Amino acid sequence: MTDESKHRSLLTVREREIFNLLVDDNTTKDIAGRLGISEKTVRNHISNTIQKLGVSGRAQAIIELLRLDELKLR
């Protein structure tokens, strides 16, 4: 069993993709265009992640995801 298979992510693949783009300083509009989805869908993914983490905003979500080793700064 690899380290990756032992670690179950809190995030879906799409949520991780979106938060990686947020960390890289992309706007909601940039992310929507890049992923070919609506801005509303991007906001829904961000909102779902914020709810999962029990935090109150994007910045807190990013900090928590970094703390939990769900995101990495590049």
Side-chain angles (χ1 to χ4, degrees):
M1 199 178 244
T2 66
D3 284 343
E4 234 175 282
S5 61
K6 283 188 228 169
H7 177 72
R8 290 279 315 199
S9 176
L10 291 170
L11 303 178
T12 65
V13 172
R14 185 61 100 185
E15 289 165 348
R16 178 178 309 285
E17 204 171 11
I18 288 169
F19 271 88
N20 278 319
L21 290 168
L22 280 174
V23 165
D24 289 340
D25 206 27
N26 288 281
T27 65
T28 301
K29 187 175 184 170
D30 295 337
I31 294 167
R34 193 155 172 187
L35 299 179
I37 58 178
S38 73
E39 289 181 59
K40 172 96 172 97
T41 300
V42 173
R43 287 191 302 271
N44 285 343
H45 284 299
I46 293 167
S47 179
N48 290 343
T49 302
I50 287 169
Q51 242 183 335
K52 279 184 200 180
L53 295 169
V55 297
S56 62
R58 292 177 184 205
Q60 282 186 329
I62 289 168
I63 291 166
E64 187 65 7
L65 290 168
L66 289 167
R67 189 185 72 74
L68 293 170
D69 211 22
E70 292 282 338
L71 279 182
K72 303 254 189 277
L73 293 178
R74 296 177 231 168

